[in-house]
Amino acid sequence: MKDNPPCTIDERNEAKSDSVDKQKFWNGRAQEFSEHAASTGYPAAFLRIMKPRKSWTVLDMACGGGTLAIPLARKVKSITAVDFSGRMLEIVEERCRRGGIVNVKTLPGRWEDDWDRLGIGVHDVAIASRSLLSEDAGESLTKLDRVAKKAVYISTQVGDGPFDRKLLESAGREFRLRPDYIFYVNLLYEMGIRANVSFIPESNPNSWESHEEALKDQRWMLQGMTEEEEEKVREYLRKHLVMVKGRWQLPYSRNYSWAVLYWKKNGRGRG
């Protein structure tokens, strides 16, 4: 789900997810996640909430493979697309070349970096799609608010989000829920920002041609998976996958929603 999707769930994941490990992981999965994110209907739904204007300059922080930057590019003046994964930025550039898009500038950078030194600058609108992973959420939100002249749009998970709690626990990992949208609504309120909230439902196909494909599709949830953990997950899938119309499925829904929080700088979220 990257734009960058939430990817650390428990203490083991957190211990393994320093900046080098995360960069290596997302570089390796960049193409797959970019293709998935573009096919879900999420980008179009986000843009309907955003109502972009042709005069806008936009910062897309942690842009992933251009899930929003590519469809947004034809609707705004320019976009600065920032991500810490070099491969993600290459995908953005490749998609721009294929589509004849010339108003997207890519820039390597992280939430934790000094944005002034990166040269991010000030934009009309700042967006951060499914990517608020910084340890200091307040600082990240402050940075977004500071570089936006007109409005800020962020999205984050609702409840468990795209994570499969049962599958994670089958591997022996404790499910530790990351703060969902309510945390950010309250944090913004404490910052003096009354954010508007809209929701984007997303349907998980939850369907695979083989057990091996099903396992591969879960690896993003289990970074640093050991051989023992992998065997536990394989056993879980062998036990629970059922054949439905020629494809393997888990016998429960994995549909979820994303919350889009947004505020205008004139009125601090009241307009």
Side-chain angles (χ1 to χ4, degrees):
M1 267 65 59
K2 190 184 192 292
D3 333 39
N4 297 302
C7 59
T8 55
I9 305 162
D10 56 20
E11 291 178 346
R12 178 172 297 173
N13 272 357
E14 290 174 355
K16 292 175 181 282
S17 63
D18 58 36
S19 60
V20 174
D21 288 342
K22 286 193 288 186
Q23 189 172 42
K24 181 179 179 181
F25 177 82
W26 290 118
N27 281 345
R29 303 295 298 277
Q31 189 69 45
E32 175 186 347
F33 275 103
S34 297
E35 291 171 356
H36 170 79
S39 68
T40 62
Y42 168 85
F46 191 104
L47 266 59
R48 283 195 295 270
I49 295 168
M50 189 176 175
K51 298 181 176 64
R53 298 182 182 180
K54 197 67 178 177
S55 61
W56 282 356
T57 60
V58 178
L59 168 67
D60 185 356
M61 184 60 196
C63 63
T67 300
L68 295 182
I70 298 303
L72 185 59
R74 301 188 190 281
K75 299 178 181 294
V76 299
K77 181 178 180 180
S78 66
I79 298 174
T80 299
V82 181
D83 202 276
F84 78 125
S85 166
R87 180 56 186 145
M88 287 291 184
L89 295 180
E90 288 175 0
I91 289 173
V92 174
E93 293 165 358
E94 290 168 4
R95 294 178 69 187
C96 285
R97 283 193 293 270
R98 291 199 305 267
I101 296 170
V102 297
N103 62 339
V104 176
K105 171 188 173 183
T106 59
L107 188 66
R110 304 176 302 164
W111 284 105
E112 300 84 358
D113 291 338
D114 183 327
W115 289 13
D116 291 330
R117 289 186 178 180
L118 287 180
I120 285 178
V122 177
H123 298 72
D124 292 317
V125 175
I127 63 176
S129 172
R130 306 186 289 196
S131 63
L132 285 167
L133 299 179
S134 173
E135 290 301 318
D136 191 339
E139 181 180 355
S140 298
L141 292 170
T142 298
K143 284 181 173 181
L144 286 173
D145 190 64
R146 180 172 61 86
V147 301
K149 292 187 293 185
K150 297 181 182 297
V152 180
Y153 294 80
I154 65 173
S155 63
T156 188
Q157 70 189 60
V158 177
D160 290 0
F163 301 115
D164 186 333
R165 184 187 294 255
K166 295 177 182 178
L167 187 139
L168 286 161
E169 291 176 348
S170 77
R173 296 195 182 186
E174 178 186 358
F175 185 93
R176 299 185 64 189
L177 182 63
R178 283 276 179 172
D180 79 343
Y181 81 101
I182 288 295
F183 168 81
Y184 293 102
V185 169
N186 291 333
L187 181 57
L188 287 165
Y189 186 84
E190 291 174 2
M191 294 168 60
I193 299 172
R194 299 178 184 178
N196 302 284
V197 184
S198 294
F199 297 94
I200 299 176
E202 191 161 303
S203 177
N204 190 320
N206 197 32
S207 174
W208 305 277
E209 291 184 356
S210 66
H211 284 218
E212 196 62 34
E213 183 184 45
L215 175 66
K216 180 182 177 182
D217 204 32
Q218 317 310 314
R219 288 188 180 277
W220 69 272
M221 280 189 280
L222 292 153
Q223 291 182 53
M225 185 163 51
T226 65
E227 291 183 4
E228 180 181 359
E229 288 175 330
E230 181 170 326
E231 183 51 42
K232 288 179 179 179
V233 174
R234 287 183 182 277
E235 178 58 30
Y236 178 84
L237 294 173
R238 282 194 293 267
K239 181 178 180 180
H240 293 283
L241 286 174
V242 294
M243 181 65 74
V244 178
K245 297 181 179 179
R247 294 180 65 86
W248 294 102
Q249 293 185 3
L250 287 166
Y252 50 84
S253 170
R254 297 208 303 180
N255 296 337
Y256 47 89
S257 295
W258 300 100
V260 179
L261 283 58
Y262 57 101
W263 62 97
K264 296 180 180 179
K265 300 298 291 290
N266 181 16
R268 307 300 295 166
R270 291 188 291 272

